[in-house]
Amino acid sequence: MLLQQRRKIVAPFAILGTIATYCIKSTFSNYTPATAFVVPFSLRRFYLSSSSSSSSSSSHVSSIRSIIVPRNVLFMSSTNDDIAASPNGEEEHSQFDWINDKEQWKTKKTPKDFSILSWNILSQNASTVIKNETYSYKGIDIPPPKPWEYRMPQITQKIHDINADLCCLQEMDITSFESMEPIMKKMGYEGVLQKKESSHPAVATFWKRGRFQIFQSLKVRSRTLSVLLQDILSPNSSLVLAVTNVHLEGHPHKIAQRVQQLHHALGDTKHVTHHAALVCGDFNCQVYSSACSSYLRCGSVQPPAAADDDDDDDNVLLEWNQPIPPTVYAIPKHAYNNTLKSAYPPSLLAKSPQDYFTYIRLPQRFAAGLDHLWYTSTSLNCVALKQIFSSEQERLCMLQNGLPSDHFPSDHLPIGAIFSWKKEDTTLPDLRYVASPKANLDKNKSASELLEEAEELKENLGQKQQLELEYLLSPIPNFVPGQKPTEEQKIALKHQKRRREVLIKDASKDDCVVIERIFKLYREASKK
């Protein structure tokens, strides 16, 4: 019954020519009535003009407040494993160390700590689209963004002021990367761009040369980029950090695609050596009520428990006020075993979104918790969090005028944190082994599932290794395992064995793990 009412709350969408406009509004009792959340769909391009009256928004207060953050789903504190939500936002805020200007970043951070910044910097292409469109709010024309030549110095100055050891940027195309890379190098950074031959906005990850060095680059996917970085300040440079930078699907209805993108990205890191993982970026869904958050925190998105009462739908997980489609529940579990936590407490963002929003385009049209930062809590401590706004005056100005502005270059605000290793020696477990599937789990999989995993693993190897595997995994003509081979078949089997030994001998330690796993998957599949 309530579920039907909830579906009616979703704002209608209109199609104007070929441009789809989506805007989903929700109102909390502690908002000003005009405040509304905007669903991002290539966020800055698709909007409906503000036309809701205070009375129409207020009529849904009681029902929306009870469903926007489902009970027992995502109300987690970032400092302990138990589900918790402080009744007082200010009290919960005070439980965390917040850092603001560059001096605080210096004083809060010890030499053994490392810091990270994540920021959607608004691509050149997106800002051009905004510039060619007219936006109006309450009869006031909203000025278009400044050109890239004006905004880039502001972006690099912000990065310089924060001076984080890791810098994960979203919406960076090849042109902006090439213009920023020399400046980043002068500031001590090395970096890699997700796509080097595409004008479509991508993600880029930078790291300080004095703190990290590249350990391994992993597969580049359409929406994510994962790199393995060696912490050169750890004992014998032994600790490896997996950093996954994402800009997930922006269409509000494509919930399953966002979770699938995370699933594939985490699958890229689970078979390689690393001792901690960070997942950050523009998720295009809210950290306190989304399938992506549930997936990261719990390992998988669990179907809602059957309610005894038809009116008891509190356990139904909603994303942008939409029920999660059943296809999401079938997405395989990731391999970090409930160790991933959101650095920014979802419960705090849920109760006071107007105080912690990270995206705003039009005045009073903001979204809190679109930009996420997750970490493996078994290996990292979250020392401090970056304050979203430098001052209360800045927050109010952004609410009143929207972004970007003459003084701020993007429609997203940067997030960040300082982390420390839980152990400063080599006793931290290798998460590759935690992540690797156990043999007894293979018995529950079908042959097609086993072979699908093998194909995904092949993509982590080099081209020559993949070609050699194709040969080694191809069946010998007319040979039936378990039967006595002919002389020709014996020769072919010995030849395959020698080439397999050479393949494993020449492979790196991490590649050996992947190759052995592929052979095992094929063996298990042949038994089905």
Side-chain angles (χ1 to χ4, degrees):
M1 188 177 198
L2 264 179
L3 190 56
Q4 294 175 349
Q5 292 176 353
R6 292 172 188 175
R7 289 172 178 166
K8 293 178 182 178
I9 295 171
V10 181
F13 62 89
I15 300 178
L16 304 175
T18 59
I19 299 178
T21 305
Y22 292 89
C23 181
I24 297 177
K25 302 176 181 179
S26 54
T27 306
F28 291 85
S29 58
N30 58 347
Y31 287 168
T32 55
T35 303
F37 285 124
V38 181
V39 170
F41 175 32
S42 297
L43 285 161
R44 64 282 312 159
R45 280 182 273 180
F46 302 103
Y47 285 101
L48 290 174
S49 296
S50 174
S51 58
S52 300
S53 66
S54 299
S55 59
S56 63
S57 298
S58 300
S59 63
H60 297 303
V61 167
S62 60
S63 58
I64 296 180
R65 186 173 177 82
S66 66
I67 65 173
I68 191 69
V69 187
R71 188 180 66 197
N72 297 339
V73 178
L74 288 175
F75 258 29
M76 313 93 62
S77 166
S78 66
T79 55
N80 71 55
D81 292 323
D82 298 325
I83 295 171
S86 169
N88 187 308
E90 292 184 2
E91 290 180 4
E92 186 169 0
H93 177 98
S94 65
Q95 294 174 10
F96 303 92
D97 285 326
W98 297 89
I99 45 179
N100 196 344
D101 58 32
K102 56 185 178 182
E103 292 304 319
Q104 284 186 307
W105 279 82
K106 291 179 181 178
T107 56
K108 287 282 185 182
K109 182 172 169 288
T110 69
K112 293 184 179 180
D113 297 338
F114 63 89
S115 53
I116 183 171
L117 173 75
S118 179
W119 191 12
N120 182 322
I121 60 173
L122 180 58
S123 75
Q124 294 190 61
N125 291 339
S127 62
T128 301
V129 171
I130 297 175
K131 187 175 181 180
N132 293 333
E133 296 181 5
T134 301
Y135 293 94
S136 179
Y137 179 77
K138 294 186 176 181
I140 302 173
D141 290 337
I142 307 300
K146 297 290 185 180
W148 175 251
E149 294 74 17
Y150 182 92
R151 295 190 299 114
M152 189 188 73
Q154 294 178 319
I155 293 170
T156 53
Q157 183 62 48
K158 190 77 171 177
I159 293 172
H160 176 270
D161 289 346
I162 294 175
N163 196 32
D165 298 305
L166 296 164
C167 189
C168 296
L169 304 179
Q170 300 87 47
E171 291 204 15
M172 176 173 276
D173 54 38
I174 181 64
T175 305
S176 56
F177 181 82
E178 289 176 346
S179 61
M180 277 187 65
E181 188 179 26
I183 302 173
M184 297 294 286
K185 282 183 176 292
K186 288 182 179 179
M187 290 191 285
Y189 288 100
E190 295 291 338
V192 59
L193 180 68
Q194 175 193 9
K195 307 172 190 174
K196 293 187 177 179
E197 299 178 355
S198 173
S199 60
H200 190 276
V203 301
T205 300
F206 295 88
W207 57 91
K208 277 293 183 75
R209 288 189 295 269
R211 182 59 194 255
F212 293 101
Q213 64 185 18
I214 190 73
F215 181 74
Q216 184 176 346
S217 293
L218 300 179
K219 182 179 178 182
V220 174
R221 296 189 175 272
S222 62
R223 289 281 188 165
T224 64
L225 170 66
S226 296
V227 294
L228 295 177
L229 299 173
Q230 207 164 359
D231 186 351
I232 61 178
L233 295 186
S234 64
N236 301 318
S237 302
S238 58
L239 296 179
V240 177
L241 178 67
V243 181
T244 298
N245 186 0
V246 311
H247 187 189
L248 302 183
E249 169 62 47
H251 194 300
H253 296 166
K254 293 185 177 180
I255 299 171
Q257 285 88 330
R258 283 190 283 275
V259 180
Q260 281 283 11
Q261 288 160 2
L262 281 178
H263 166 67
H264 290 304
L266 295 182
D268 292 338
T269 63
K270 70 180 181 180
H271 293 290
V272 291
T273 292
H274 63 293
H275 304 91
L278 295 174
V279 184
C280 64
D282 182 353
F283 278 54
N284 275 319
C285 57
Q286 291 164 309
V287 68
Y288 52 82
S289 185
S290 65
C292 286
S293 290
S294 183
Y295 181 76
L296 289 177
R297 184 67 184 94
C298 305
S300 63
V301 185
Q302 298 296 321
D308 297 330
D309 189 334
D310 290 340
D311 289 338
D312 185 10
D313 291 323
D314 285 339
N315 285 323
V316 176
L317 176 62
L318 300 178
E319 184 169 317
W320 298 120
N321 285 346
Q322 305 252 358
I324 303 302
T327 52
V328 174
Y329 303 129
I331 295 174
K333 186 174 183 178
H334 70 69
Y336 285 102
N337 300 324
N338 302 324
T339 64
L340 286 170
K341 282 187 178 181
S342 172
Y344 286 82
S347 54
L348 185 60
L349 273 62
K351 287 194 295 293
S352 304
Q354 71 276 17
D355 295 327
Y356 300 97
F357 62 86
T358 59
Y359 168 78
I360 183 168
R361 172 65 189 122
L362 299 180
Q364 300 296 334
R365 299 292 186 117
F366 61 84
L370 293 186
D371 301 277
H372 297 210
L373 174 54
W374 296 78
Y375 67 101
T376 46
S377 58
T378 53
S379 48
L380 295 175
N381 291 314
C382 186
V383 176
L385 295 173
K386 182 188 179 305
Q387 186 74 270
I388 305 297
F389 310 101
S390 60
S391 66
E392 176 65 6
Q393 181 181 4
E394 181 184 69
R395 184 186 73 85
L396 294 175
C397 183
M398 290 178 178
L399 274 177
Q400 181 178 357
N401 301 305
L403 290 176
S405 66
D406 290 346
H407 306 291
F408 199 85
S410 178
D411 47 6
H412 281 256
L413 292 107
I415 62 172
I418 295 175
F419 292 100
S420 65
W421 294 97
K422 284 205 167 180
K423 296 179 181 179
E424 298 176 358
D425 52 34
T426 57
T427 59
L428 275 176
D430 185 343
L431 296 185
R432 170 187 59 175
Y433 300 118
V434 175
S436 297
K438 305 298 182 182
N440 60 349
L441 297 179
D442 294 339
K443 296 179 181 179
N444 300 325
K445 297 179 181 179
S446 65
S448 61
E449 290 174 327
L450 293 169
L451 294 176
E452 181 182 357
E453 182 183 342
E455 291 303 310
E456 289 186 2
L457 288 175
K458 286 180 186 178
E459 295 173 351
N460 292 309
L461 300 173
Q463 186 176 7
K464 289 183 178 180
Q465 291 173 316
Q466 292 184 37
L467 290 173
E468 189 67 5
L469 273 173
E470 289 298 325
Y471 164 75
L472 295 175
L473 293 169
S474 60
I476 295 174
N478 302 319
F479 174 66
V480 179
Q483 294 185 5
K484 186 176 180 179
T486 64
E487 289 301 318
E488 290 183 352
Q489 290 170 343
K490 286 182 181 178
I491 294 173
L493 287 169
K494 288 182 180 179
H495 185 62
Q496 277 194 343
K497 182 180 179 181
R498 285 196 298 270
R499 288 180 62 166
R500 174 174 171 169
E501 289 171 350
V502 172
L503 175 65
I504 293 175
K505 180 182 177 181
D506 294 341
S508 66
K509 181 180 177 181
D510 287 332
D511 287 346
C512 282
V513 174
V514 175
I515 291 168
E516 292 288 0
R517 176 65 183 161
I518 291 171
F519 282 125
K520 186 171 185 178
L521 288 167
Y522 268 81
R523 286 197 304 270
E524 293 295 328
S526 67
K527 299 175 184 178
K528 300 292 183 178

